[in-house]
Amino acid sequence: MEPEPASGTLIFLFTDLEGSTRLWEQPWAATGALRVRMGLHAGEAATRSSDYFGPVVNRTARIMAAGHGGQVLLSAAAAALAADRLPEGADLRDLDTHRLKDLGRPERLFQLVHPDLADGFPPLATLDRRPNNLPTQTSTFVGRDAELEQIGRRLGDEAVRLLTLTGPGGTGKTRLALRAAADQIDRFEDGVFFVDLSAARTAEDVPAGIARAIGLSETSGQALLEELTGRLRRQHTLLVLDNFEQVTTAAPTAVELLKDCQGLKLLVTSREALRVRPEHLFPVPPLSLPRAAPDRRSAADLASFEAVQLFVERAQAVRPDFRLTEDNADAVADICRRLDGLPLAIELATARLNLFAPEALRDRLGSRLRLLRGGARDLPARQQTLRATIEWSYQLLEPSEQRLFELLSVFSGAGFEAVETVAAELDRLTGTQLDVLDGLASLVDKSLVRRTDARAEEPRVVMLETIREYPAERLDDRSELAASARRAHAACFADFARRQWEHLTGRRREPALGDDRRPREPAPGLGPLGRGR
């Protein structure tokens, strides 16, 4: 008896052949023939609510997308299963190995040929069709459909020449930029090139990195920027400039290139905004998360969230037999929530599944910085532990910004007025002067705090719990300053409570609780100061 995958592949192959020939034979009159491209792959797909998803489904879609109308493509896995049981008159043509736009491993592709099918198609629409140096990825890309659609739309806008993906370390900016660049490669006939700036330290390193990426050698007496301009001026090219936070002083150089090269676009990843006029910002959010709910949610329901999908995919690299089940789904969802949906944190957590079950791992997340270590050795050192990732951003701050960052760790989220009040009290107690206005603006730009309630009269700033642990530790290292900061914090909210007491106990209680001008801390126990607020 044939194994199920072979039977399934054969059924689909007959269906593809019959469907293609029927479409080809139909009299379409003025509209012309309707040509449908088809892709066939073999593997185990995950199911959710009577639907299929996962890496196998995604790769099938990429195989289909590489073809042209009327063309039927098979992966090597599908071809191996069907080769000896082809429909009469059919054959498989080896199209060699191609890099699909998912940036995963190259795939050997085969075309279904038959006398009743069209032939003579253009080259496949794969990464190989355009010049590029986009690196192959060794792990599966998960989710981000909404972000990819938005980035694609903005890169297609003629007014957007410089798009910066911002976010804290570990948000997945690089992977998202690479995937977006691969998706958009057909828009740039002269190529898409990746420029890694993680080792850059000076503004001069940026044009040098771009030159290496596009294969330009400095062979004349011209300045390198002039040579770059000469090469790129008449080209329609996308440059992916990764880790630009290292060399933000080079931002004017990037603008000069854009001025002189009208067909050039820049897709930048950075932990902070470049703050130049052509820049359009795209804050990269965490992966989608299930909200905490009083009722137990099914594994199928939780599997629809990107953070949970990433956890499962990476967990299976550590424990191949791992599955999301009704027994462990709640623990997995809790872990993802406590890690704020940050991809790097989730990947570091799954590495611990060689020791702990999800329930035990969840219980050990009280100290994320101690637990989330031991990342893959092929990652940069700054991404091998959660502490190193946050410390990388911390070291890029000015000393006054570092102090404000530490002070903000005593809040669970507050308005500007509350932060300014606590900072003023801390100055009175210790002489620690902080520029709250410029400091908060800089920390928002550097993706270490986030602004919420943007439409409110006074927006709030909040910090991801995964990030907060680091500045809280730094503050605790200076015990006297930490005590003063918490004393100032307590005094601020005690004074607020006194001022609101009359309203909070009378008929005006609801309006008082709804006053957006209040400092707006959550209930005691929800933030890091619940232990002694």
Side-chain angles (χ1 to χ4, degrees), residues 37 61-68 71 73 100 109 122-126:
R37 57 186 177 181
R62 290 295 178 180
I63 293 169
M64 180 274 296
H68 302 277
Q71 192 171 26
L73 298 177
L100 303 176
L109 297 177
L124 297 180
T126 61

Side-chain angles (χ1 to χ4, degrees), residues 75-384:
S75 69
L81 291 171
D84 295 330
R85 302 181 59 184
L86 292 172
E88 184 178 353
D91 198 2
L92 297 179
R93 178 181 299 156
D94 189 342
L95 300 182
D96 209 344
T97 300
H98 294 266
R99 292 186 65 203
L100 303 176
K101 293 180 184 178
D102 58 6
L103 294 179
R105 58 178 172 78
E107 181 72 61
R108 195 170 197 89
L109 297 177
F110 295 80
Q111 178 183 323
L112 176 64
V113 293
H114 188 275
D116 294 336
L117 293 180
D119 204 349
F121 296 100
L124 297 180
T126 61
L127 287 179
D128 311 294
R129 191 165 67 162
R130 303 288 190 197
N132 76 90
N133 68 341
L134 298 178
T136 299
Q137 300 300 302
T138 56
S139 58
T140 304
F141 185 88
V142 175
R144 300 294 197 187
D145 292 340
E147 288 84 358
L148 288 169
E149 193 276 331
Q150 293 175 53
I151 293 171
R153 187 169 62 250
R154 298 183 77 174
L155 287 176
D157 185 345
E158 292 185 2
V160 178
R161 304 282 310 285
L162 168 57
L163 182 62
T164 304
L165 309 188
T166 61
T171 315
K173 299 182 295 296
T174 299
R175 290 294 299 269
L176 179 59
L178 285 171
R179 182 59 175 267
D183 284 351
Q184 303 302 315
I185 196 167
D186 289 332
R187 286 180 171 172
F188 300 93
E189 58 265 26
D190 295 301
V192 172
F193 299 94
F194 176 72
V195 184
D196 183 3
L197 299 176
S198 60
R201 293 297 180 271
T202 67
E204 291 73 23
D205 291 333
V206 174
I210 295 173
R212 286 192 298 271
I214 67 174
L216 175 65
S217 300
E218 205 171 350
T219 57
S220 70
Q222 291 178 287
L224 183 54
L225 187 59
E226 293 179 11
E227 290 198 47
L228 281 175
T229 301
R231 168 71 72 88
L232 297 172
R233 178 176 285 120
R234 292 178 178 83
Q235 293 188 353
H236 192 201
T237 302
L238 175 67
L239 297 180
V240 181
L241 306 181
D242 191 41
N243 291 301
F244 211 102
E245 70 273 359
Q246 290 286 112
V247 280
T248 53
T249 53
T253 302
V255 174
E256 286 300 314
L257 271 177
L258 290 174
K259 286 181 180 177
D260 295 330
C261 306
Q262 294 303 308
L264 176 65
K265 291 204 176 193
L266 303 180
L267 180 60
V268 174
T269 76
S270 177
R271 299 190 187 192
E272 63 176 294
L274 306 192
R275 300 177 68 181
V276 290
R277 285 181 295 176
E279 182 178 40
H280 293 252
L281 293 177
F282 185 91
V284 177
L287 297 173
S288 63
L289 284 166
R291 293 185 178 181
D295 299 327
R296 186 182 182 90
R297 301 176 70 169
S298 69
D301 183 17
L302 293 173
S304 65
F305 293 93
E306 294 171 340
V308 175
Q309 292 171 21
L310 179 66
F311 186 100
V312 173
E313 197 278 332
R314 299 297 189 261
Q316 290 173 346
V318 179
R319 290 172 45 188
D321 62 341
F322 183 86
R323 297 290 183 273
L324 189 71
T325 67
E326 299 301 333
D327 293 330
N328 66 24
D330 279 346
V332 169
D334 286 344
I335 292 169
C336 293
R337 278 192 294 267
R338 295 181 68 177
L339 298 179
D340 297 310
L342 289 179
L344 178 62
I346 292 172
E347 293 188 13
L348 292 172
T350 56
R352 294 300 188 188
L353 291 176
N354 62 347
L355 289 175
F356 305 111
E359 295 80 4
L361 181 62
R362 173 186 57 190
D363 296 341
R364 289 178 173 267
L365 282 178
S367 177
R368 301 166 180 83
L369 299 184
R370 283 199 295 269
L371 181 69
L372 302 183
R373 298 180 295 177
R377 290 174 180 166
D378 59 334
L379 286 173
R382 68 181 185 277
Q383 293 182 354
Q384 293 185 14

